[in-house]
Amino acid sequence: MTAPRPILRMSGIGKEFPGVKALDGVDFRLLPGEVHALMGENGAGKSTLIKVLTGVHGVDAGEIELDGRPVAFSGPLAAQQAGISTVYQEVNLCPNLSVAENVFIGREPRRLGRIRWKEVRRRAAELLAGLDLDIDVTLPLSSYSLAVQQMVAIARAVAVEARVLILDEPTSSLDTGEVAQLFRVMRRLKEQGIAILFVSHFLDQIYEISDRMTILRNGRLVGEYPTAELSQVELVAKMIGRELADLEELEGRPPARGGEPLVEARELGRAGAIEPFTLTIREGEVVGLAGLLGSGRTELARLLFGADHAGTGSVAVAGRPAGLRTPRAAMGHGIAFCSENRRAEGLVPDLTVRENLILALQAARGWTRPLSRRKQDELVARYVSALNIRPADPEQLVKNLSGGNQQKVLLARWLILEPRLLILDEPTRGIDVGAKAEIQRLVAELSDGGMAVLYISAELEEVLRLSHKVGVLRDRRLVAELENDSGLTTEVLMETIASGARS
Amino acid sequence: MSAALLAGRRRLARTIPRKYVPVLVTAGLFAAMFVAGGVRYRGFADGQVVLNVFVDNAFLLVVAVGMTFVILTGGIDLSVGSVVALSTMISATLLTGHGWPAPAVIALVLAVGAALGLAMGAIIHYFEIQPFIVTLAGMFLARGLCYTIGTESISITDPAFTALAQTKIRLGGGLWISPSVVVALVVVAVAAYVLHYTRLGRDVYAVGGSEQSALLMGLPVARTKIAVYTVSGFCSALGGVLLSFYMLSGYGLHAVGMELDAIAAVVIGGTLLTGGSGYLLGTVLGVLVLGLIQTIISFEGTLSSWWTKIFIGLLLFAFILLQRLIGARRR
């Protein structure tokens, strides 16, 4: 088989940030009409490679060739004009503008400088229809779901004569049906000869859609492989640079717990957010919450943490009634909440890892009782190694860390407080297999140590693997509470989510 | 009954897109004030009363148009009042003291205003400094420059300026407007066209919606942000020229606090201070509401003019709360 000439070739790419070598001698090539997966753990350099390619960052070493000609883009706009369009994990569109406008802004059809709105709307509707999306293009983007917004972003990306389409974790907030729709679109674009660079942490998705893959580890190239010739186990081993054995450890089910009830919610509810529910969380117990996006998982957690006011019902902590009116009150009862929105809520990017870790503990102690530097270093060293935060340099600025490592820092900050109940909302979303296993193992260890954990995740396997008990949510209602016994499988869970009751 | 009311509201919400609600509320407020005034005061329900609001506030309208551009991007421009004062001062001293011809003076003043705006916009964008601070500095700078020209009020006797000040454009039926009103309405029309039918205008909305996204979508964010402050500077200078027509004098204490009136008008007109949402028509209505409050208070006769401020304050509270409610429901 003669390989077609690559549309894009990057060779010997190097990029250094203050104190971090993000990329070192990385080669990468993309063929027309293929879906190419870029694989690697968090911090392996995937995002940096994409940013270097699209001109967000300059390169320190190496060169980029597009269609045989050397290029260096001054920014995303220049890259886009050359035919390289990017769709990011967070939808980077303007929610206040209409769908049609989001597709065409910056290159609206005009006559004498006047935007031809009819033309804009007609062509946007056409383009979206081509992606099997039949929506009113005059409504503001904010009136549609995240999945639709993602499709609009892709429509925008291909509306220009795109030759290379970069999809940076487009599926991380989509449900199964939406992912299938996205893949249909990707296959159609592939047939048109567009080269697609695809980044995702879901291995099944990679194997479903990609033709070839390039694996990075710690900013270096591991290799380039046809997807069909590399098994999932081999892939993971190459990504994390060690064998899978230590990931399999957790396969068994956690033993049942008979601890004292720690948090008891009775008929707790909030109009418009979640119907009244009753839930008991025991000491040392991991309670999983399963349900679709928007089924009320986060809302339930926020009520327990006092982030929203409950409309009805009551909460008792350790047998005594507790008014969890504010997060501060909840923290006083030993409840910690690690939110799913880690970038917006929590970390201070311009402080170091150490300072971020100490922040909550210091706040809880009060500013009049400062922690000694020695004590700080001791604590930080312990958690940096326990959670395997990389780079293991406590004085590194948090903004220089990759997403997965930032997540670990946030988690460590709450763990330092030694809470009695830890609420984790999607702690492993957008995180690679290695870090995921580390976080799962940590949760298991914490619960062995007597900490109660409320674990929210969209991945049913993960919920099943960790939880002693699973609460199933559907349409903002806690529909079932299932003991994690041998009869509980992902199929049963899915059926419960779908039908609203265990059959 | 409340259920019926709710259903009615839902029906209404279906037929009127939510984005128009703030503008419609302002329009309704204006109409209600006018009707209330007409019922209460003799001689109030007269077309000329509305036209006088335009005549007395033409300069504010022009300044508020510039402010609308800035606020739509999520910024703020505190320098406008001072730039207005500086413009009257430059006009007066060049016309009266140096005998420059009126067209040359106007051209220079507009250039100075635009240049000031351009400089502030460039500082805001390239040094990533809060617009609040940069334009606050611009406000002190422009106000201070007024006093380097002169500390006293300088009257304008230039024939072209006095002619423009005294001309009445008759509309028939005893109604009239001043040339300044025509200028202001042309500015509004041009600005509305720019905002809705040109790339610059759409980029303004995009930057206000999400600057980060606009950047990643490849929009010229730098050019847009600098452009809005330039537009605002230009509008302030033009407002200053119109104020010179109105006052026939240049003075360093003209237009003290006008930046706040302009911001109030824009907010009452339904433009979100966070940017990305609002209409020029709303700004026009906002200026009219402010002007009508003054008119009503002057008709009332017994109330001190400070009541104007009290009403504007209350209105601002009400509108900010309204925006909050609309914004909250959107989420």
Side-chain angles (χ1 to χ4, degrees), chain B residues 190-205:
Chain B
V190 169
Y193 179 84
V194 167
L195 278 181
H196 293 284
Y197 289 102
T198 67
R199 283 203 182 153
L200 172 67
R202 300 324 294 172
D203 291 349
V204 166
Y205 278 93

Side-chain angles (χ1 to χ4, degrees), chain B residues 248-265:
Chain B
L248 281 180
S249 69
Y251 189 25
L253 284 178
H254 276 335
V256 170
M258 191 194 273
E259 58 278 350
L260 304 180
D261 288 339
I263 294 168

Side-chain angles (χ1 to χ4, degrees), chain B residues 178-261:
Chain B
S178 63
S180 299
V181 176
V182 177
V183 172
L185 292 180
V186 168
V187 168
V188 168
V190 169
Y193 179 84
V194 167
L195 278 181
H196 293 284
Y197 289 102
T198 67
R199 283 203 182 153
L200 172 67
R202 300 324 294 172
D203 291 349
V204 166
Y205 278 93
V207 169
S210 166
E211 191 175 330
Q212 187 62 29
S213 293
L215 200 66
L216 288 170
M217 286 160 95
L219 302 180
V221 172
R223 206 167 70 205
T224 307
K225 276 175 78 180
I226 294 171
V228 294
Y229 289 96
T230 311
V231 167
S232 179
F234 177 86
C235 285
S236 310
L238 185 58
V241 171
L242 298 187
L243 186 64
S244 317
F245 295 160
Y246 189 75
M247 297 282 207
L248 281 180
S249 69
Y251 189 25
L253 284 178
H254 276 335
V256 170
M258 191 194 273
E259 58 278 350
L260 304 180
D261 288 339

Side-chain angles (χ1 to χ4, degrees), chain B residues 63-85:
Chain B
V63 172
V65 166
M67 186 67 81
T68 308
F69 273 78
V70 174
I71 291 182
L72 276 177
T73 64
I76 195 101
D77 188 351
L78 298 179
S79 71
V80 293
S82 301
V83 174
V84 166

Side-chain angles (χ1 to χ4, degrees), chain A residues 300-358:
Chain A
L300 189 155
R302 285 176 63 90
L303 277 190
L304 282 181
F305 189 55
D308 293 321
H309 290 307
T312 62
S314 63
V315 185
V317 177
R320 259 182 304 208
L324 303 177
R325 301 284 296 170
T326 62
R328 230 185 130 68
M331 281 162 71
H333 286 290
I335 300 177
F337 180 61
C338 204
S339 93
E340 71 183 314
N341 218 342
R342 57 180 173 268
R343 272 175 213 152
E345 302 165 21
L347 289 173
V348 188
D350 282 315
L351 292 183
T352 65
V353 170
R354 175 179 56 81
E355 287 162 331
N356 267 292
L357 279 183
I358 295 300

Side-chain angles (χ1 to χ4, degrees), chain A residues 66-108:
Chain A
L66 182 66
D67 218 0
R69 273 190 301 276
V71 287
F73 301 119
S74 57
L77 178 62
Q80 207 180 76
Q81 280 162 350
I84 302 181
S85 292
T86 315
V87 174
Y88 299 90
Q89 176 179 11
E90 293 91 20
V91 176
N92 279 294
L93 296 174
C94 292
N96 59 326
L97 303 181
S98 73
V99 170
E101 199 167 4
N102 268 299
V103 173
F104 281 107
I105 191 164
R107 44 170 190 270
E108 302 95 336

